[in-house]
Structures are given as structure tokens and as C-alpha cells.
Amino acid sequence: MSVAQTYRPPELALRFFRWYCRPDRVEELEGDLEEFFSKRINKGEPVWKARFFFWWNVFRCYKSYARTKTQNNSVMLSLFKSYFKLALRHSWKNKWSVLINVTGLGLALSMCVFLYLIYAYNIEFDTFYQGTENTYRIHAMTYENGAERRNEIAPFALESKIRNDIAGIDAVSSYTGRTLDIKVGNDFFSEYTGIISTDFYEMFEIPLWYGSFEGFGDQPLVYLNERQSKKYFGNEVALGKTITVYFHSEKKIDFTVGGVFQKIPLNSSFDFAMLINQKEYIQGMEIDPNDWTNKRYEGIYVKANPTRIKQITEEINSYVSIQNEGHEERKISRFELVPFLSPLVASELLYRSYVTARLRPQVYIIFTVLIAMIFLTACFNLANTSMAMIAKRLKEIGIRKTLGSGSRQILIQFLFEMGIISALAFIVALLTANSTSDAILGLFSASFLLQDADLTGIILFVLGFLIVTTIIAGLLPALYAWKFQPVSIMRKAVKLKGVNWLNRSLTVAQYSFSIAVLAAGITFSQNSDFLKEMHLGYDDDDMIDLYLGNSEFYDVVKQEVDQIPGVQTAGTFNHVGGFGRFSTSKLLEIDTLSEEIRHYAVGSEYLELMGVNIVGGRSFISGSEADQKESILVSQSLAERFFKNEEPIGQVIKIGGDRKQIVGIIEDIIDDVYEDSELRPSAFALRDTSLRHLVVKVTSGDIEDVDAKLRAIWNEHLDKPYAGRLQEELALGEAGRDTRNLQKIFIAMAILGGFLSIVGIFSLAKLNVAKRIKEISVRKVLGASLKELLYTINRSFVIVLSVAMIVGCGLGYFISDAVLGLIYKYYIDVSAITISISGIFIVIISLIIITGAIVAPANANPVVGLREE
């Protein structure tokens, strides 16, 4: 037996060929196809390749000389043309209803596309960078507060060791992200800046719009993205322009724009508005890159053969002991080399890093639930209104069936019509998807658009969702039309009294979703107010924080600010507000226990000005040298953790190597309200020198007027951007902002869901009246009043809406409580009264709309109604 006889062509391909091929050409062409297949096998080509080309030849044979030409093909083509024409005519005849459906479904689908972008954000994370197969991230593992932490940071001094002392590494680069003050012309700005080593742009291939990296590292060059280039220089070419960058201790360096880089997607580890070289940063910040006691860190990335990674990791870990000798407060247990696209990086949150984080699973859950409810509401609304239209086309259905149309053709016809509406809706969705994404993510100062995601994924998602939408929204109306028999229709034996059980079920579902989303929106609004008013352990009203940065100007600025009427001031080195950004970490040692804690250095009267509560012992004594040298105040959480069965006051502890005596206990400072937050033990030390923050409390007058005066004083003494911020903005930082933004998103979705539901109920009311027009006319002739007619017709809707309110309120209560618990550690108890009011509000609005749809027919001349067929 020959090799060719051992293998057969693909059976499915042969069946497809025999299906389309003319009977008189089957034997001849099939023989040729099998002959070509055999020749490839005998030549020694792989079987998969021979089968692939067999399929290719089968498709190539689909020509006019080979395919069957039958009357059925012409009939099917004509039928599809007929379906399309009928669908267009019917849509144009009901253009306003179609327009409303297309708009509503389009907006809902726009949110579905946004949901896909959220998933694509994580799935395609860092795929923008090419050639990263052998690229590794250096992670430092630490033990803090009893848990192991993964950090994408490494000490500055480690970079030179990796470059010069470790063999087998093909390339090394580093990245740090910092917000730097810059000056362009006479205007000041603050920009998040990527500080990179000279070879970073080669390892990660940063694409330039114009300019080049030639000379990068030899001279001060800065690179901007397109947005910043237009922001600073308008439509002028930025190449060669000068930007002044301010560093530590008021040192500044003039940079020349070396180029403008193309947009880098948001789902990238490295997110920056501009780039400068690490050499200038080290110079400006006066950093010794070889000093292991330097407390500055960076992200380090290496390229190496995977077979060498184990050996390289061992050599890097040999520097752990040197690192820990210079950093008593933050000891590293080991270093790990993690592949750049490792699932480990995707699944674990980095505790400290300069890279952009992936979205948390909570984000998926929240938006998936919300958008699914909006999408189903839109689909149910389309199904309801479609069935309302079908009720007006019973005669058309009966005539078509009488003339020979089968039930399957009727089914296909209505699915075809739903498909056109879905397709139009998806066009609206794609046209508005970027606006939707920009509106939602823009609230969080982010942007991720359609062009940032993989095109193949978007096409597959759109096609798949188009089919799903057509089936969900169109199958029920199509089956509704399919079931009617022509004889029953022509004899008027089909009785469509009121709204059937299917309409009622769909209405209950869509109204339940709308009520649930509205209830969640109101609950989030209340929770936003709750967090704003929640006591955080200090006062945040009428406070302005001036971050001077350099204590050289502190006394001069403070003296002038104190002269403003109605103002009190106090200074601090570290400041309470803003997620601990204005604090340092120091090692706390008590007997054999040690732990990293948050440490604040404050000036006299600062705690009193901020309204920090002393719950035990005393506060600092103003001007006391003994308190500056020997005393410390600790938080309740620190006292409870380390002194469970002892009195903390009077105990001696060691912080950052210095012995301190506890003289007071303060109420815990809450600076994070997320679900995974934890109260970090804190300590406050007295320092009346080298103060950087001047906290201003406005006791009388307008805070905006005081802020304007502070700006004038600032501009007189400091040549850098004004760094005054309201304490209430710093208080909860991102958590407060995110809460307010989620509140806006919930309310916007509730409005959309309510709009779709009201449109649906209005269509059902019209259908109900159309089906009962003779009944209304008869009742009017017999003396029924308008009030009685409204009661009779509205009764079924009242029942439906009452059921929807009960279901929706229960769903809203569950969703609100679950979502708040998923996000926040501190949140309000969901109010059943608030949820009920949400349901009652939507029901009342809907009943008003329904009544408006009924009043006109109910007031019409009954003679016209009795003549209706």
C-alpha cells in the first residue's frame, strides 16, 4: 500500500465539495482534487499541509463551471432581498420607534464595548512592548506588618553592581516615576516624569513621532508626549525648545526637547508625560548612586538567557545583606527575577513600585453587574416594543402565510429586522464607545480608547455581541409572530387582550434592573457624603496645606501668612493628609519585636491646629527641648498591638535607632477607606526645625480669598509652582475621588436605565390601548367616566410595576450592600427607606407616562373606536 493510500483527504471538505458541485462534474473534479492530494503525500510533504491545500483547492473550485445552479438558489437570494426590503420599509414606517430603540440599545451597547475595553486593558497589558520574551523585572520581597510584600523596586546602588559585576546579562535598564515641577516660558506645571537610564528606550522601544535619542545621556534632553507638546508649544515644533525642571533644594536644570514620542497605551507598566535621563535626575537630587545607605529606589529590568536566570538571581541576592545594613527600617528578604509578562505580576498587587497597576477584580465585578443590567434592560425594552409593533401586523402575517410563507420564513423575517436594528445600534455604540470610555475613565484621570485595544479582539467581540443581541432582543418577538395561524388571524380569532404574560415578565425584569441601579446610585451618593463627613482622627475643614519643600523660606512665609486676618498656622516636616505621602517609614523596636511604622515629624501646636485627639497622656509641650529629644506620641493601633496588657504611657521604645519615651496616645488617623486597608501604626515626634509644610487654618472669612493671598505671598518668595491644596482634597485622596466618581457613574446609568424602561412602558401602554380600543368605546357609550377608564386600563400596569418595585428594591438593596462591602472598609448601612423611595419614584413617573398615553384615546369619539377593525 502506497503512502498516499494510507491517508485520506478531509472528509468534511469532500462533503462540502459534493454539496455545491454539479452532479455531472463531481467525479471528474473530485478525482483531480484527490490526485493533487496524493502527489503532495508522495512527495513527502506533511499530512497537515496536504490537507490544508486540499481545503484550499475545494474553495478554489467554487466557480460558475462547478457549482450547482438551481432554482432554489435564486429563490433564496430573492427571499433574502425581500427580507431586507421589508425590514427597511417597516423600519422607515416606524422610524421614531426604531430611532428610540436604536439610540437606547446603542448607548447600552456602547457601555458593553467599554466593558470589553476594561477586560482588554488587563488581557493586553504590556503587549505594546515587543521583544520582551527574555526581559525580567527585579522584585524585592519584604516582610512588613507580619505579611510578605512584593515590591518592584531595588536600591540605586544595585544597578551599577548588575551592570559591572554580574556576568551573563545582555542588557540592563532602570525606570523611576516622579512628579516634577517644570517651567515653560513664564508658566509653571507639574508633570509625572519617567526617569530612565540611557538604554531604557532601546530595551522597550519607545516610538518617537519626531526627534531622536541621539545624545541622550550626554546632554540634558527631555522628551514629551504629543499632548504635552501641544499644551506647552501649541502647533509649533517642540524640537529644540527649552524646559526648566526643578529638583531638590531648589536646584533646577534647563533641558532641551530632544523629541516627541507617540502615545503609549494606558495599559502599560510605564506611564509618563515626559522622559528625562537618570543622570540629570541624580545630579539634580544630589544622589550618590553607589551609596547603599541612600533611601531612594528604582525599578530595574534585565535581559538575559533564561538558562542563566537562576545563577543571576543568586548573585543579585548576595547584595541583600549590604542593602539591609544601610536600611534598618526596610529590610529585603530576597530578590526575585520575574518575567516581564509573567502571570504573577498580573495576579498579585505590587506593594511598592513605580509602574502602573492592572485593574483590580472588583472593577470587573462592579461594571459587569451594572452594564449587564443596563444591556438587558435595553434588550427587554426592544423586545417589548417589537411585540407591540407585531400586534399591528397580524394581517400582514396572515396574508403572507396564506400565500405560502412558512413559519420559518416569518421567524427569519423578524430576526432579520431585529438584526438590522442591532447593527444600527452597534454603529451608534462604536461611534460613541470612545466618548463613553473617555467620560467614565476621564473621571479617574485616565484614557483607554478603541484604538488602544487589539483590533482583532474588537472585531470578534462586535460580531459575537451582534449575534447575541439579535437573539436576545429578537427571538421572543419573532417567536411571538411565528406562532399565529393564518386562519385564526383572518377570522379575527386571535384575541390580544391587554398585555400578555411575556410582556409583563419583560417589563418586571427591566423595571427591576432600573430601580436597582437607581437605588445603588442614591446609596453611593449617600456614602460619598458619609465619607466626606466621617471623622478621620483630625479636622479637614477650612484647612490649606502649603508644601514649601525647602525650610529656607519657612520662617519668612509663615511670618507673612500669620498677618492675614482670621488665619492660624502651624508647621510640620511630615503632614497627616494624603495617604501617608507626607510621612516616612521608620523601624519600631520594642524588646525583641520590630516592625515598620509610619512616622511624622511635626512642629509645636501642629496637633492642636489639626484637631488631633489625644486619648491618653499628654501632647507635646511647645518649645520643650526635652520633648524634641526624648518624647514620642503613638497611635491607638500601635499601643494596642505592642502593649496589650501594659500601660503604654512611660514606656521606652526605639524608633529609627533613637530611644523615645511614650508621653501620649492619639486617636488613629484614617487615610484609606478601601476594603483591604489597614490602620498602620503611627508615631509623632516633635521637630521645630527644618519644617516643610505650613498648614493654614482659616477661622474666619472666605477660604478662597485666603488662598488668593497665599498665592501672592508664594509668588513673591518662591520661583516654582504654587503647592497649596485644600486639606479636604488631601484627606482621602483617591478613595474620596473614586467614591464621587462612582456616584456619578451609577446616577448616569440609572438615568439611562430609567429612560429605556419608560420608553418600554409607554410602548406597552400604546399597545394595550390599541388592543382594547373597542372595549374603551363600548364602556364610554355605556357611561364610563375617564377616571373609571383609567382605572380599568391602568390596573394591569399597576400590578406589573408593583411586582417590579418589590423585586427591584430587593435587588437594589443586595447590590448596593455587596458593592459597598466589596470596595470600602467604612461605609453606610444601606437604607431600606432610600431603596423604597427609589422604587416608588420610578413607579410614579411611569404611571404618569402611562396615563398620558391613555388619556387621548379615552377622550376620543367612541364612534371612531367602534368602527375600528
Side-chain angles (χ1 to χ4, degrees):
M1 182 180 291
S2 66
V3 177
Q5 290 176 319
T6 306
Y7 300 100
R8 293 287 301 157
E11 184 63 29
L12 187 59
L14 279 172
R15 290 173 61 186
F16 175 64
F17 169 75
R18 292 165 184 165
W19 172 76
Y20 75 71
C21 190
R22 290 165 47 182
D24 59 326
R25 302 297 301 274
V26 169
E27 185 177 352
E28 174 192 353
L29 293 175
E30 185 174 331
D32 291 340
L33 290 169
E34 291 184 346
E35 183 179 351
F36 286 130
F37 177 81
S38 300
K39 284 183 177 180
R40 290 185 178 278
I41 293 295
N42 290 330
K43 284 168 61 178
E45 293 186 6
V47 177
W48 69 265
K49 187 176 181 181
R51 288 177 173 167
F52 171 80
F53 277 102
F54 186 86
W55 271 103
W56 174 247
N57 290 330
V58 166
F59 286 125
R60 290 180 64 194
C61 278
Y62 190 76
K63 305 287 186 181
S64 58
Y65 63 81
R67 66 176 179 265
T68 304
K69 294 180 180 179
T70 65
Q71 187 177 2
N72 288 337
N73 289 340
S74 300
V75 171
M76 288 301 297
L77 183 61
S78 299
L79 276 175
F80 277 107
K81 287 181 179 178
S82 174
Y83 293 154
F84 188 72
K85 288 180 181 179
L86 282 173
L88 287 180
R89 288 172 183 169
H90 176 68
S91 298
W92 181 251
K93 184 179 179 181
N94 301 280
K95 50 183 173 292
W96 295 115
S97 177
V98 170
L99 179 62
I100 292 173
N101 276 317
V102 166
T103 303
L105 184 60
L107 293 175
L109 291 175
S110 177
M111 291 188 177
C112 292
V113 175
F114 166 71
L115 182 62
Y116 169 78
L117 289 177
I118 290 179
Y119 280 91
Y121 180 94
N122 271 15
I123 294 170
E124 300 171 15
F125 202 90
D126 275 337
T127 55
F128 171 78
Y129 302 105
Q130 303 298 315
T132 58
E133 295 81 9
N134 294 333
T135 304
Y136 295 83
R137 307 167 184 259
I138 294 183
H139 282 183
M141 307 302 293
T142 60
Y143 279 97
E144 301 175 49
N145 300 332
E148 186 177 58
R149 311 286 193 183
R150 180 175 295 276
N151 311 273
E152 194 164 311
I153 58 171
F156 262 78
L158 182 62
E159 182 180 349
S160 62
K161 295 295 183 182
I162 293 175
R163 289 183 182 276
N164 303 317
D165 299 344
I166 299 179
I169 295 178
D170 300 325
V172 182
S173 68
S174 62
Y175 171 84
T176 308
R178 295 284 184 185
T179 298
L180 298 178
D181 295 331
I182 66 172
K183 187 176 184 180
V184 182
N186 295 320
D187 298 321
F188 286 103
F189 305 91
S190 292
E191 297 294 353
Y192 193 74
T193 306
I195 301 150
I196 60 175
S197 58
T198 305
D199 39 17
F200 180 89
Y201 72 89
E202 295 176 343
M203 180 179 286
F204 294 103
E205 298 181 6
I206 304 297
L208 290 179
W209 183 24
Y210 60 80
S212 73
F213 282 103
E214 185 178 351
F216 184 62
D218 298 328
Q219 53 184 306
L221 294 177
V222 62
Y223 295 82
L224 309 173
N225 63 20
E226 295 179 53
R227 183 178 178 181
Q228 304 312 118
S229 174
K230 291 180 180 180
K231 175 181 175 181
Y232 302 147
F233 307 111
N235 294 323
E236 295 182 43
V237 176
L239 196 65
K241 302 283 187 180
T242 300
I243 291 178
T244 303
V245 179
Y246 288 76
F247 295 96
H248 184 57
S249 301
E250 304 304 312
K251 187 167 185 176
K252 55 187 179 181
I253 298 176
D254 290 332
F255 285 78
T256 302
V257 177
V260 175
F261 54 85
Q262 298 174 17
K263 180 183 177 181
I264 296 175
L266 183 67
N267 61 337
S268 160
S269 286
F270 312 110
D271 180 32
F272 40 78
M274 66 182 196
L275 287 172
I276 63 173
N277 197 287
Q278 184 190 66
K279 293 181 179 179
E280 281 78 39
Y281 178 74
I282 288 173
Q283 176 188 344
M285 299 299 291
E286 300 175 353
I287 298 171
D288 180 358
N290 297 309
D291 181 10
W292 284 97
T293 63
N294 188 336
K295 292 180 173 56
R296 294 188 180 273
Y297 297 85
E298 62 182 356
I300 301 179
Y301 307 88
V302 301
K303 271 193 174 183
N305 191 307
T307 59
R308 288 276 306 152
I309 293 303
K310 184 177 180 180
Q311 179 63 32
I312 293 171
T313 304
E314 291 176 357
E315 294 187 42
I316 291 176
N317 275 306
S318 66
Y319 297 102
V320 168
S321 58
I322 301 176
Q323 149 69 19
N324 289 341
E325 287 176 6
H327 297 76
E328 288 294 327
E329 75 283 358
R330 183 177 298 159
K331 291 182 180 293
I332 293 173
S333 58
R334 68 183 187 282
F335 289 107
E336 287 186 5
L337 265 64
V338 179
F340 189 73
L341 297 178
S342 169
L344 180 67
V345 180
S347 62
E348 292 193 18
L349 292 175
L350 297 174
Y351 192 59
R352 293 186 181 88
S353 74
Y354 297 106
V355 298
T356 305
R358 288 162 173 78
L359 296 176
R360 295 184 176 191
Q362 291 93 324
V363 176
Y364 297 145
I365 297 171
I366 293 168
F367 280 107
T368 299
V369 171
L370 285 177
I371 292 174
M373 289 194 296
I374 294 295
F375 170 67
L376 290 175
T377 300
C379 288
F380 293 161
N381 174 64
L382 178 57
N384 260 336
T385 53
S386 299
M387 284 191 284
M389 295 301 172
I390 289 171
K392 300 178 180 179
R393 300 172 66 185
L394 291 180
K395 284 189 177 180
E396 175 196 334
I397 296 169
I399 292 171
R400 289 180 61 185
K401 286 193 173 185
T402 302
L403 295 176
S405 291
S407 296
R408 184 174 65 177
Q409 292 174 335
I410 299 295
L411 181 66
I412 294 174
Q413 169 67 43
F414 283 98
L415 282 175
F416 208 90
E417 291 180 8
M418 290 300 102
I420 289 177
I421 293 177
S422 298
L424 292 174
F426 246 112
I427 293 173
V428 173
L430 292 176
L431 291 175
T432 59
N434 277 348
S435 299
T436 301
S437 180
D438 207 36
I440 296 176
L441 293 180
L443 295 172
F444 303 94
S445 303
S447 176
F448 191 69
L449 308 176
L450 282 173
Q451 56 266 36
D452 298 325
D454 179 60
L455 182 60
T456 303
I458 293 173
I459 292 173
L460 292 175
F461 170 80
V462 168
L463 291 176
F465 227 83
L466 187 61
I467 295 171
V468 171
T469 305
T470 302
I471 292 173
I472 293 178
L475 188 58
L476 289 176
L479 291 173
Y480 184 64
W482 174 55
K483 71 176 183 178
F484 296 127
Q485 298 301 316
V487 176
S488 301
I489 294 173
M490 303 311 291
R491 289 180 178 176
K492 299 183 180 179
V494 177
K495 302 295 183 182
L496 301 179
K497 295 182 179 179
V499 181
N500 63 27
W501 67 269
L502 187 56
N503 295 123
R504 292 191 183 98
S505 301
L506 294 177
T507 304
V508 167
Q510 72 181 76
Y511 262 88
S512 298
F513 293 152
S514 298
I515 292 170
V517 176
L518 177 61
I522 294 175
T523 302
F524 262 83
S525 179
Q526 293 176 331
N527 193 66
S528 178
D529 294 335
F530 165 78
L531 291 178
K532 185 177 180 181
E533 299 298 327
M534 185 176 73
H535 183 62
L536 304 175
Y538 61 91
D539 296 336
D540 60 349
D541 293 331
D542 298 325
M543 295 271 194
I544 301 175
D545 169 50
L546 288 179
Y547 178 58
L548 300 173
N550 192 331
S551 58
E552 176 185 348
F553 300 98
Y554 177 84
D555 292 331
V556 177
V557 172
K558 184 178 188 302
Q559 185 176 3
E560 292 197 25
V561 172
D562 282 338
Q563 295 176 5
I564 300 175
V567 161
Q568 297 179 25
T569 63
T572 175
F573 183 80
N574 309 122
H575 181 48
V576 166
F579 280 73
R581 286 174 297 168
F582 305 130
S583 66
T584 57
S585 294
K586 288 198 174 184
L587 189 68
L588 168 69
E589 297 173 274
I590 302 176
D591 297 328
T592 59
L593 299 175
S594 63
E595 184 175 316
E596 184 180 290
I597 65 166
R598 182 173 291 168
H599 184 267
Y600 296 92
V602 302
S604 299
E605 302 176 357
Y606 169 78
L607 297 178
E608 288 73 19
L609 182 73
M610 291 296 295
V612 175
N613 293 329
I614 308 297
V615 296
R618 63 173 177 84
S619 184
F620 294 120
I621 300 173
S622 180
S624 170
E625 292 186 10
D627 273 0
Q628 290 197 51
K629 295 178 181 179
E630 303 169 0
S631 300
I632 197 81
L633 271 68
V634 299
S635 64
Q636 284 177 293
S637 57
L638 188 150
E640 291 170 1
R641 181 176 299 183
F642 292 98
F643 302 99
K644 295 179 180 179
N645 301 316
E646 299 179 67
E647 171 59 43
I649 304 298
Q651 296 284 347
V652 175
I653 60 178
K654 203 172 183 181
I655 295 183
D658 298 326
R659 293 174 61 83
K660 299 281 186 178
Q661 184 180 43
I662 299 175
V663 297
I665 301 173
I666 66 170
E667 183 180 352
D668 277 313
I669 305 297
I670 299 173
D671 56 11
D672 190 355
V673 294
Y674 285 120
E675 186 274 334
D676 56 356
S677 65
E678 55 186 34
L679 288 172
R680 290 184 61 188
S682 304
F684 287 76
L686 180 64
R687 176 186 291 182
D688 276 325
T689 57
S690 302
L691 302 178
R692 293 183 180 179
H693 291 264
L694 181 64
V695 181
V696 179
K697 184 173 183 178
V698 182
T699 56
S700 64
D702 187 357
I703 193 168
E704 293 182 359
D705 180 56
V706 172
D707 187 63
K709 293 177 181 178
L710 294 178
R711 287 178 183 270
I713 295 172
W714 180 282
N715 293 331
E716 180 182 351
H717 296 286
L718 288 91
D719 181 28
K720 64 179 183 178
Y722 177 67
R725 294 186 64 184
L726 294 177
Q727 178 60 34
E728 61 183 11
E729 295 177 356
L730 294 171
L732 290 177
E734 294 181 4
R737 181 199 65 180
D738 292 351
T739 300
R740 293 188 291 270
N741 291 337
L742 283 173
Q743 169 194 347
K744 296 175 185 176
I745 293 169
F746 270 87
I747 295 296
M749 290 189 176
I751 292 172
L752 177 58
F755 165 75
L756 293 172
S757 294
I758 289 171
V759 168
I761 205 75
F762 183 78
S763 299
L764 283 183
K766 286 287 189 182
L767 169 63
N768 197 31
V769 172
K771 292 174 180 177
R772 304 175 66 177
I773 194 69
K774 284 189 177 181
E775 177 190 342
I776 294 172
S777 300
V778 170
R779 286 178 180 272
K780 287 190 69 176
V781 170
L782 295 176
S785 66
L786 177 62
K787 182 178 179 182
E788 290 172 334
L789 289 174
L790 291 176
Y791 172 76
T792 301
I793 298 170
N794 277 343
R795 184 171 54 190
S796 61
F797 288 109
V798 171
I799 295 172
V800 168
L801 293 175
S802 298
V803 174
M805 187 181 72
I806 295 171
V807 176
C809 288
L811 189 62
Y813 187 94
F814 172 77
I815 290 176
S816 299
D817 189 66
V819 171
L820 287 174
L822 193 67
I823 302 175
Y824 300 110
K825 183 175 184 178
Y826 309 96
Y827 58 92
I828 62 170
D829 294 326
V830 180
S831 170
I833 295 176
T834 300
I835 301 295
S836 301
I837 291 174
S838 305
I840 293 170
F841 173 78
I842 287 188
V843 168
I844 290 175
I845 294 296
S846 300
L847 288 175
I848 292 173
I849 297 294
I850 294 168
T851 301
I854 295 172
V855 167
N859 284 324
N861 190 333
V863 176
V864 178
L866 291 171
R867 288 177 178 174
E868 281 278 337
E869 295 222 345

